[in-house]
Amino acid sequence: MIYTVTLNTAIDRLLYVKSPLTRKKNNVIDTIGYDIGGKATHVSVVLSKMNIENVATGFIGEHNNALLLSMLQNHHVNSSFIMQKGCRTRESIVIIDDSGNGSFMITEHGFEITEASHKKLVSYLQENVEKDDFVVFAGSPPSGYSVDNYKELLQTVKSKGGLLIVDAAKEFLKEAIKQNPYLIKPNEDEIKEYVGKSLIDDQEYIDELKKMHQKGVVVAIISLGKKGCFIGFAQQYFKVTPPKVKEVNDTGCGDAFVGGMVAALAKDKKDVVSSVRFATAISALKATQKTSSLPSLHNIQDWMDRVQIERIGEEA
Ligand code: TA6
């Protein structure tokens, strides 16, 4: 089984405006839509789209969770969330215009998780995760959620023999790396914050991927948005360039990428190069679509054929 864990679930409120968002002007909304928000839930959508069994877990608020749960059901995602009483699942605002330059995303902190809710999630993982299950942690924990609690979740998965896939930032990324994850995918800002400086050239990216391997990460990826990613595994390093697209809504592209990696690795753990090709293709395809979660895999082979993968280094 694959588990996706969203500690800070969200409902995305998508506001479409025709002309570019402008200050000191009435920016009239053309249409309003709702979609699933929260990074690991988007991973579940990709998996379910590919008929890969998975369960979305994490925390949801008691109020307004029906919309989120029904959207997950529409995408055939099975869910088993810890519901926290008296709280409201947050709404993220995503503003999309016709400029082709991507979306604006405005998020809330999310409700504070009680110790009792945290312990319920620990027990859920303890009771359900089995050896070699992928368990995906993606997205920022809600404010007030401690690194120690995060560590407890990761260690629970490890103690059951599960394989951690983590897309996190700041101190949560640092903690994840300490837990020998199977895969991590910091983006440009997250790696800059982790390393303490911007990475300039291919060699600097390779050096950071190598350091992650030395710390026990099996598949290390640094994603660079529309520029693609660097990936390292088994002492091999690649630079991956996606096809050029007219960006409609970049919200959720990183999550579609993680979903693609998990889906492809679940089929064949050894074929990391094909996996990153697939993940890059669906992330690029997602950018052309209005929604936050991936609505279709239409023509995916064509997109995959247009991904460029260049081998850039190998350790002796
Ligand atoms: O990556 C897109 C997305 O999952 C949105 O759907 C949105 O709700 C947001 O990210 C949540 O991000 P966060 O880091 O706050 O968990």
Side-chain angles (χ1 to χ4, degrees), residues 5 9 12 45 61 78 92 125 128 133 143 147 162 167 180-181 190 197 220 224 235 247 276 294 297 314:
V5 185
T9 45
D12 282 2
V45 170
N78 292 321
S92 300
L125 296 171
N128 290 282
D133 282 346
S143 52
V147 179
D167 183 6
N180 307 122
E190 290 158 357
K197 62 166 189 146
L224 307 172
Q235 282 79 48
E247 221 169 276
V276 77
L294 183 77
L297 287 168
E314 188 164 8

Side-chain angles (χ1 to χ4, degrees), residues 6 8-12 36-42 90-92 94 105 107-108 138-141 250-255 292-293:
T6 309
N8 202 356
T9 45
I11 295 166
D12 282 2
I36 295 160
K39 300 197 184 312
T41 45
H42 290 313
R90 67 182 171 147
E91 249 188 30
S92 300
V94 182
M105 187 166 75
T107 62
E108 297 177 39
S140 56
D250 56 312
T251 294
C253 287
D255 311 333
S292 300
S293 51

Side-chain angles (χ1 to χ4, degrees), residues 166-223:
V166 183
D167 183 6
K170 301 185 177 157
E171 64 269 37
F172 300 99
L173 170 64
K174 278 192 191 147
E175 187 53 53
I177 292 175
K178 285 187 201 157
Q179 301 300 329
N180 307 122
Y182 189 79
L183 184 151
I184 52 163
K185 184 213 75 69
N187 64 27
E188 207 163 6
D189 290 340
E190 290 158 357
I191 197 71
K192 182 176 167 189
E193 143 107 42
Y194 175 73
V195 176
K197 62 166 189 146
S198 296
L199 302 179
I200 307 294
D201 55 23
D202 293 5
Q203 192 54 50
E204 287 196 349
Y205 280 100
I206 295 177
D207 290 346
E208 285 314 315
L209 294 174
K210 276 185 189 165
K211 283 183 202 160
M212 289 179 200
H213 286 147
Q214 282 154 9
K215 290 183 175 149
V217 178
V218 180
V219 179
I221 301 173
I222 300 172
S223 64

Side-chain angles (χ1 to χ4, degrees), residues 100-262:
N101 294 325
S103 55
F104 293 89
M105 187 166 75
I106 304 165
T107 62
E108 297 177 39
H109 285 300
F111 56 84
E112 223 170 282
I113 307 299
T114 61
E115 197 54 22
S117 291
H118 165 70
K119 287 293 178 204
K120 279 187 196 165
L121 184 56
V122 172
S123 303
Y124 177 81
L125 296 171
Q126 182 75 42
E127 282 157 25
N128 290 282
V129 174
E130 292 181 359
K131 190 171 176 331
D132 291 340
D133 282 346
F134 279 139
V135 183
V136 182
F137 287 81
S140 56
S143 52
Y145 199 73
S146 70
V147 179
D148 279 348
N149 279 356
Y150 195 71
K151 180 175 169 185
E152 190 178 4
L153 295 177
L154 302 183
Q155 286 186 335
T156 304
V157 171
K158 293 289 291 184
S159 71
K160 300 300 302 280
L163 304 175
L164 288 170
I165 300 206
V166 183
D167 183 6
K170 301 185 177 157
E171 64 269 37
F172 300 99
L173 170 64
K174 278 192 191 147
E175 187 53 53
I177 292 175
K178 285 187 201 157
Q179 301 300 329
N180 307 122
Y182 189 79
L183 184 151
I184 52 163
K185 184 213 75 69
N187 64 27
E188 207 163 6
D189 290 340
E190 290 158 357
I191 197 71
K192 182 176 167 189
E193 143 107 42
Y194 175 73
V195 176
K197 62 166 189 146
S198 296
L199 302 179
I200 307 294
D201 55 23
D202 293 5
Q203 192 54 50
E204 287 196 349
Y205 280 100
I206 295 177
D207 290 346
E208 285 314 315
L209 294 174
K210 276 185 189 165
K211 283 183 202 160
M212 289 179 200
H213 286 147
Q214 282 154 9
K215 290 183 175 149
V217 178
V218 180
V219 179
I221 301 173
I222 300 172
S223 64
L224 307 172
K226 62 169 95 165
K227 288 182 275 170
C229 72
F230 287 89
I231 180 167
F233 64 96
Q235 282 79 48
Q236 299 170 65
Y237 300 90
F238 297 86
K239 184 178 184 172
V240 183
T241 310
K244 287 214 167 13
V245 297
K246 180 171 188 252
E247 221 169 276
V248 175
N249 181 8
D250 56 312
T251 294
C253 287
D255 311 333
F257 178 94
V258 176
M261 281 308 293
V262 177

Side-chain angles (χ1 to χ4, degrees), residues 1 15 36 56 80 121 140 211 239 257 259 275 300 302 304 307:
M1 182 57 79
L15 307 179
I36 295 160
S80 179
L121 184 56
S140 56
K211 283 183 202 160
K239 184 178 184 172
F257 178 94
S275 300
I300 192 65
D302 185 41
M304 286 172 71
V307 174

